[in-house]
Amino acid sequence: MDLNTITEIVRRPPDRPGANWREGDAWLAGGTWLFSVEQPDLRRLVDLTTLRWDPLVVTDKGLEIGATCTIRELYAFRPPADWTAGPLFGTACEAFLSSFKVWNAATVGGNICMSLPAGPMITLTVALEARYELWAPDGTTRTVDALDFVTGNHENVLTPGEILRRIEIPVHALRKRATHRRFTLTRLGRSTVFLVGTRTPGNNDLLLTVTAGTTRPVRMVFDTMPDAPTLQQSIDVIPTDVWFDDPNGTPGHRRHLTKHFAEEIRRELASGSPT
């Protein structure tokens, strides 16, 4: 879609691009959402892709993902052999309701900052216990837990002019055993629910992440593997207004699916073999 209110595009922003932020600006990375709807309040686009942030950096501490890393680049990534949760990268990329053309442009950071319930990069990073590095226009930096970033449907903690710089995934989460369940109304449809469970090697714990069916991510942490009734009760206490309601599923439908798939995940991780 043409954005006929735009009067300027900043092609070469400074290394700290927020320094020149002003009302009417928008960050431009993949632009897959930005150019899909009218943006009457925007006057200027600031192109982040020219900063050439490293898309993926493997360190002793884990994985750093630059906010402008494309979905195609993430999908092509081959994690170290001991990162047993590595298959989640491909799973999350395949959960996009998009064509390969979108994969070539859409960015990890853009999907997170859109903060939609079905955002698969949100699912991935919350499930892997990531933290986000945020840059403010005044030059300060803060780090937030991925779980706390999205606050509701299309809502997050970013302040005006603040930018997501990188995602940091800790190595201990990448070395966990992981499994997932996802449901859509159609084969290539938007996620109605998307759940990920992880278990620490040598421990009998469980971390369950619930997304897509809720307006914000929900994380359930169990030091020891819960029995079925305990897990079901934990899902029952999710507030009613947190369950998402749209044409892809009612809150009741999403709660039912979440309870069903959570039990499958529990049994799989408890038994040590796929169900």
Side-chain angles (χ1 to χ4, degrees):
M1 174 177 288
D2 294 334
L3 301 182
N4 55 21
T5 61
I6 300 300
T7 60
E8 182 184 357
I9 299 178
V10 180
R11 292 293 188 186
R12 296 185 181 278
D15 290 340
R16 296 283 300 208
N20 298 323
W21 177 268
R22 65 194 189 202
E23 188 175 353
D25 282 358
W27 303 118
L28 173 62
T32 53
W33 175 80
L34 193 63
F35 289 101
S36 68
V37 295
E38 294 182 359
Q39 308 285 354
D41 297 328
L42 298 185
R43 300 293 179 268
R44 188 172 71 155
L45 302 180
V46 183
D47 188 354
L48 299 177
T49 61
T50 60
L51 295 174
R52 301 196 180 283
W53 293 333
D54 291 333
L56 297 153
V57 179
V58 176
T59 71
D60 292 340
K61 296 181 179 179
L63 178 66
E64 296 181 0
I65 305 175
T68 53
C69 174
T70 65
I71 304 307
R72 178 186 59 81
E73 289 171 320
L74 183 63
Y75 191 69
F77 174 62
R78 296 296 176 262
D82 64 337
W83 289 8
T84 47
L88 286 178
F89 292 116
T91 296
C93 292
E94 290 169 355
F96 265 88
L97 177 59
S98 60
S99 69
F100 72 92
K101 296 178 182 178
V102 173
W103 278 28
N104 288 334
T107 62
V108 175
N111 185 254
I112 291 171
C113 291
M114 273 293 294
S115 301
L116 298 176
M121 296 298 102
I122 299 168
T123 308
L124 172 70
T125 54
V126 172
L128 293 180
E129 304 167 54
R131 294 182 65 80
Y132 300 160
E133 181 180 312
L134 309 180
W135 286 2
D138 63 4
T140 58
T141 299
R142 63 173 174 143
T143 303
V144 301
D145 192 307
L147 177 67
D148 301 324
F149 182 81
V150 176
T151 57
N153 179 23
H154 201 36
E155 298 174 346
N156 58 49
V157 300
L158 288 173
T159 59
E162 198 170 28
I163 188 172
L164 171 59
R165 170 59 184 87
R166 63 168 59 87
I167 300 99
E168 300 171 348
I169 301 177
V171 70
H172 77 265
L174 291 161
R175 288 174 175 161
K176 287 186 174 184
R177 182 163 171 243
T179 190
H180 77 281
R181 295 293 189 276
R182 176 171 171 260
F183 178 86
T184 62
L185 292 179
T186 60
R187 188 173 68 87
L188 298 177
R190 180 174 300 223
S191 300
T192 298
V193 295
F194 193 173
L195 285 71
V196 177
T198 62
R199 177 180 172 181
T200 306
N203 288 344
N204 192 35
D205 59 355
L206 173 66
L207 188 151
L208 180 68
T209 299
V210 177
T211 62
T214 51
T215 57
R216 57 173 173 79
V218 174
R219 178 188 289 163
M220 301 177 191
V221 181
F222 301 92
D223 293 333
T224 58
M225 189 67 65
D227 58 19
T230 300
L231 181 58
Q232 298 294 302
Q233 290 168 9
S234 297
I235 297 170
D236 283 334
V237 301
I238 296 175
T240 302
D241 60 357
V242 172
W243 293 102
F244 191 42
D245 186 7
D246 77 348
N248 293 291
T250 64
H253 178 54
R254 286 181 150 107
R255 183 188 296 108
H256 170 77
L257 290 173
T258 297
K259 296 177 78 169
H260 173 77
F261 289 132
E263 174 57 15
E264 287 192 353
I265 287 172
R266 185 194 71 83
R267 282 187 285 176
E268 180 176 334
L269 292 178
S271 68
S273 60
T275 57

